[in-house]
Amino acid sequence: MTPILLTVYPDECDAFGHLNQASFLSLFERARWEMLRAGPGMDIFDRTGTWPAVRKTVIEYHASAFPGDVLRFAQDLTHVGRTSFTTRQVAHRVRDDALIATAEFLFVCVNRQGRPVSVPREFHEFMAARRRDAGEVQRLTVNGVSLAVEVRGDGPAVLFIHGYPFDRSIWTHQVAALDGWSRIAPDLRGMGQSDAPDLGYNMETYAADLAALLDLLGVDEVVLVGLSMGGYIAFEFLRCWKDRVRGLVLLDTRAEADTPEGKKNRDAAAATAREQGAEAVAEAMLPKVLGRSTLAGEPATVERVRAMMAATPVAGIVGALGAMRDRPDSTPMLPDLAGIPTLVIVGDEDEVTPPAQARAMADAIPGASLVVIRSAGHLPTMERPVETTDALLAFLDGLP
Ligand code: MLT
């Protein structure tokens, strides 16, 4: 894909010589038109009687640009819906490759009366081809934090929410296998390849990040699939946006809040992370998160899980521990989940959230079913991926 090169002119700069904000916006806009000029033509919207009206803009300024600087603009499509699409643009300075700014623009296509209309097919195809070129992992900024998000496939949306201290790779098998569904698997703030701010971790914020992510992707309704802490976040999401949830899968999680003893353990683990780093946390957790069958017979999985946990930023570990310590009890909401088709999955060797707890949770949710995955611990998606994916597929296929 050819990047667009644009030069910064003196009249676009402020009294100190920096490219000013208004000019940044117009350069981003010019880069988009240039992209169309080199593709389906700048008159594509006129031709189809639609106009892309910008609805939301998020710009992050990373470094100053000065007169004479040549900026290289790359642009990806991060979502195409029926009437809306989102583009992400990144500007680097050619001379030293410095990252100058990143921006996301959400557009809705409207007709001359201002009513939403379908995104022109030609444009959709042009952008979809660019998206395929760009790969499937995107960076999207929500609530001021840049998240790494894998988005794959078309169809009704499934949102995968990983646990602690993991990342989206726990869903690799499921994301690859669920054809016919739009699979959205983010790294939560503080984990994987997402930004890890020092502050701002609680269940409300994790859930708000996900809601904002869905908005950005133009997705209204989802099936939530949450593992462990991902389940705690799913409960929080349901508290705020229940009407967006068309199905729920809870893996190796619990509805109860932490006990007083559990809260003390969170603080002790946070101290370990601060003083000894993520590797020490990973070593302590490994024997708990994997089942005895995996620990004894699946060395490659053991190493993958160890490496994933050890790579988690300390800020994200400490933040997640505080968020889990302070989360509310979600058991009172379980009977209210009647009407949301729910599947509970648990590994039969899970000692963090054992099968008895999963069974009690499934019993408390009207109509929920339970699948126990054999020879798996707390991470059945990685320990027994085929069986877990099959259970998930059977549930999704049966959704109304
Ligand atoms: C997780 O897997 O997300 C955590 O182990 C959950 C917890 O510690 O409560």
Side-chain angles (χ1 to χ4, degrees), residues 319-362:
L321 286 164
M324 290 191 287
R325 178 196 59 204
D326 299 337
R327 75 185 189 279
D329 180 12
S330 294
T331 47
M333 78 188 291
L334 299 182
D336 299 338
L337 298 182
I340 299 185
T342 301
L343 169 67
V344 177
I345 296 179
V346 68
D348 66 347
E349 298 174 3
D350 185 352
E351 290 178 7
V352 181
T353 49
Q357 202 164 27
R359 190 160 290 118
M361 184 168 67

Side-chain angles (χ1 to χ4, degrees), residues 4-249:
I4 306 297
L5 301 182
L6 297 174
T7 304
V8 176
Y9 296 134
D11 66 316
E12 294 170 324
C13 298
D14 62 22
F16 283 15
H18 308 96
L19 179 62
N20 67 41
Q21 284 188 49
S23 305
F24 255 121
L25 259 185
S26 79
L27 284 183
F28 276 121
E29 180 155 10
R30 187 137 40 100
R32 289 196 302 273
W33 286 116
E34 285 290 333
M35 171 191 70
L36 290 177
R37 193 170 67 84
M42 284 165 80
D43 60 345
I44 177 168
F45 292 106
D46 275 348
R47 286 201 312 264
T48 52
T50 61
W51 191 252
V54 68
R55 287 284 187 263
K56 187 170 171 181
T57 306
V58 180
I59 302 189
E60 283 179 83
Y61 302 100
H62 299 273
S64 299
F66 300 94
D69 281 349
V70 178
L71 303 186
R72 184 181 68 244
F73 289 83
Q75 31 237 334
D76 300 326
L77 185 79
T78 53
H79 169 73
V80 189
R82 197 178 64 77
T83 60
S84 66
F85 62 90
T86 306
T87 57
R88 173 178 165 81
Q89 294 182 271
V90 180
H92 283 89
R93 182 166 37 224
V94 169
R95 174 167 47 83
D96 54 2
D97 207 34
L99 177 64
I100 301 296
T102 52
E104 272 155 11
F105 298 89
L106 168 68
F107 296 89
V108 174
C109 288
V110 294
N111 62 15
R112 291 193 194 281
Q113 287 71 47
R115 297 213 182 82
V117 289
S118 299
V119 176
R121 208 159 67 97
E122 206 186 330
F123 175 77
H124 191 138
E125 280 162 9
F126 170 67
M127 295 305 270
R130 294 175 64 89
R131 180 159 62 147
R132 276 194 294 281
D133 288 354
E136 282 146 345
V137 177
Q138 307 167 17
R139 293 206 70 91
L140 297 174
T141 303
V142 293
N143 301 321
V145 174
S146 165
L147 303 183
V149 188
E150 182 161 1
V151 183
R152 263 221 239 177
D154 292 313
V158 181
L159 176 64
F160 291 94
I161 318 171
H162 64 74
Y164 155 90
F166 310 139
D167 62 31
R168 65 180 193 279
S169 69
I170 70 162
W171 307 111
T172 301
H173 191 276
Q174 293 72 40
V175 167
L178 298 187
D179 283 340
W181 295 83
S182 167
R183 290 91 79 187
I184 305 167
D187 284 339
L188 296 171
R189 61 166 63 206
M191 296 188 225
Q193 295 170 328
S194 289
D195 281 359
D198 287 331
L199 300 173
Y201 296 89
N202 50 56
M203 291 302 152
E204 291 92 329
T205 313
Y206 288 124
D209 285 352
L210 298 178
L213 183 64
L214 295 179
D215 291 344
L216 212 53
L217 293 171
V219 172
D220 292 333
E221 254 196 351
V222 276
V223 177
L224 290 183
V225 181
L227 183 142
S228 200
M229 186 177 95
Y232 311 159
I233 297 169
F235 286 130
E236 190 59 40
F237 190 100
L238 281 157
R239 233 170 245 123
C240 306
W241 296 282
K242 194 170 167 193
D243 55 346
R244 296 182 78 165
V245 181
R246 68 175 285 231
L248 176 66
V249 183

